[in-house]
Amino acid sequence: MSSLPLGAIRVFDCVARLQNFTKAADELNMTQSAVSYQIRLLEDYAGAPLFQRLARGVILTPKGETIAPVIRRALADMGETFRSIREEQNSVLVVSVIHTFASNWLTPRITDFQDLHPELSVRFDISSRLLDYDAEGIDCGIRSGSGTWPGMTSHWLLSGGFTPLASPAYLERHGRPEKPADLLNYHLITPNDNWWPTWFREAGVEGPLTMTRPGVDIDTQQIIGGLALSGGGVGLVSGAFFQNEIEAGTLVKLFDIDASTGSNYYLVYSASKQLPTKVKLFRDWIISCACTPT
């Protein structure tokens, strides 16, 4: 048996509704002969006439009367399903974001965006991988780097500069360092991190670095900052992520020296397709937040 001629289904529904081949052809932007051909294909597939031809139109045969409501319901169900998918796609904003940026910067602010745009839901995709946004259903993301990625549009958000922070409790026990080189005698959180040599060079401490106290190795800024807050040592982190703690005095910036590897934080999205309204709204909001001191 040949395959069901799917293209003829829509034509059948239109003819059944209008009871006229000419009117159906006008509505479907087809020729009358093309409409007749599609109906003939469907009748050949059914093995029975579906319409009775009259002088001024057509009416459904008993077989056509059986098929018509089934086709109408199927087309309505498909239309409703696609509408639901489109509405969901337009109302959910998926943002790929690294853990520390999400926890320490974006999460405390995202309710402001939702207050401004209650019609949108926001879902974070927590990842540090370089994702294929189009393939994985990501609307936009926050990346750390130079700001240039093939096929992506990027907007600068925050400096990736880093600086040593410690809690008042830790400094009360160990004293506050007078000069950057003194930090070599403190408990440095993740002392083997490549950021430490970069920061010491920026601070004018040259030569081989010899740490005199053991440290704890941690791979995320959020946990490094949390350990520093609890008095576990000196953490080297991006000050932008801990600005509230610095202003509240729960973390102390030990020196007015920031170092950088050249990486900063950017909003990125695909440059290969038209930008959806929801991404435009998020772009304008997050750039405004990044440029506004807290």
Side-chain angles (χ1 to χ4, degrees):
M1 182 180 289
S2 60
S3 299
L4 176 65
L6 296 176
I9 296 295
R10 179 163 156 267
V11 176
F12 171 87
D13 180 66
C14 188
V15 174
R17 176 166 43 83
L18 298 175
Q19 297 188 343
N20 188 286
F21 277 29
T22 301
K23 292 179 180 179
D26 290 341
E27 182 171 308
L28 296 170
N29 197 26
M30 299 171 66
T31 63
Q32 185 173 340
S33 60
V35 169
S36 298
Y37 174 74
Q38 292 296 324
I39 296 301
R40 189 162 59 250
L41 284 179
L42 200 58
E43 289 180 327
D44 289 345
Y45 183 85
L50 301 178
F51 291 98
Q52 180 183 348
R53 277 69 171 174
L54 303 175
R56 295 187 177 182
V58 295
I59 60 172
L60 290 164
T61 65
K63 297 293 186 184
E65 292 280 5
T66 300
I67 294 172
V70 175
I71 288 178
R72 191 159 298 125
R73 284 196 302 271
L75 291 174
D77 288 345
M78 286 190 290
E80 181 60 32
T81 300
F82 278 104
R83 278 192 295 274
S84 296
I85 291 172
R86 186 170 61 249
E87 288 173 1
E88 180 181 359
Q89 181 71 12
N90 291 337
S91 65
V92 178
L93 178 73
V94 183
V95 182
S96 174
V97 58
I98 58 177
H99 197 285
T100 302
F101 195 101
S103 299
N104 291 57
W105 197 90
L106 188 52
T107 297
R109 295 169 170 82
I110 197 62
T111 53
D112 293 337
F113 176 75
Q114 292 180 304
D115 287 343
L116 288 171
H117 304 288
E119 75 282 5
L120 295 176
S121 297
V122 180
R123 179 166 66 82
F124 292 161
D125 182 279
I126 305 298
S127 176
S128 57
R129 297 183 297 115
L130 298 182
L131 305 173
D132 183 337
Y133 286 11
D134 290 339
E136 302 194 37
I138 305 295
D139 293 307
C140 59
I142 311 298
R143 284 186 178 176
S144 173
S146 64
T148 302
W149 294 275
M152 306 296 287
T153 298
S154 65
H155 301 275
W156 187 94
L157 294 177
L158 295 176
S159 168
F162 41 87
T163 193
L165 303 177
S167 71
Y170 181 84
L171 297 177
E172 186 176 343
R173 294 197 306 272
H174 299 280
R176 181 161 182 162
E178 296 182 1
K179 57 184 183 299
D182 292 343
L183 285 178
L184 295 171
N185 298 316
Y186 284 68
H187 297 95
L188 303 184
I189 301 172
T190 313
N192 296 320
D193 191 328
N194 290 332
W195 279 10
W196 278 113
T198 301
W199 184 85
F200 277 116
R201 282 196 299 273
E202 184 69 23
V205 181
E206 301 292 345
L209 303 177
T210 303
M211 315 292 184
T212 62
R213 293 175 181 265
V216 179
D217 287 327
I218 300 172
D219 62 0
T220 69
Q221 288 195 62
Q222 184 187 23
I223 301 178
I224 291 173
L227 183 56
L229 273 167
S230 68
V234 179
L236 189 61
V237 293
S238 294
F241 291 153
F242 298 92
Q243 195 60 40
N244 290 337
E245 289 80 0
I246 293 171
E247 292 175 358
T250 55
L251 281 175
V252 178
K253 186 174 182 179
L254 300 180
F255 299 96
D256 192 21
I257 300 170
D258 286 10
S260 174
T261 61
S263 289
N264 297 300
Y265 296 94
Y266 295 83
L267 172 71
V268 297
Y269 47 80
S270 174
S272 63
K273 62 182 183 181
Q274 184 176 357
L275 193 62
T277 298
K278 60 183 177 180
V279 179
K280 292 179 182 177
L281 294 173
F282 185 75
R283 175 198 62 192
D284 295 345
W285 170 81
I286 196 170
I287 291 175
S288 175
C289 284
C291 294
T292 303
T294 57

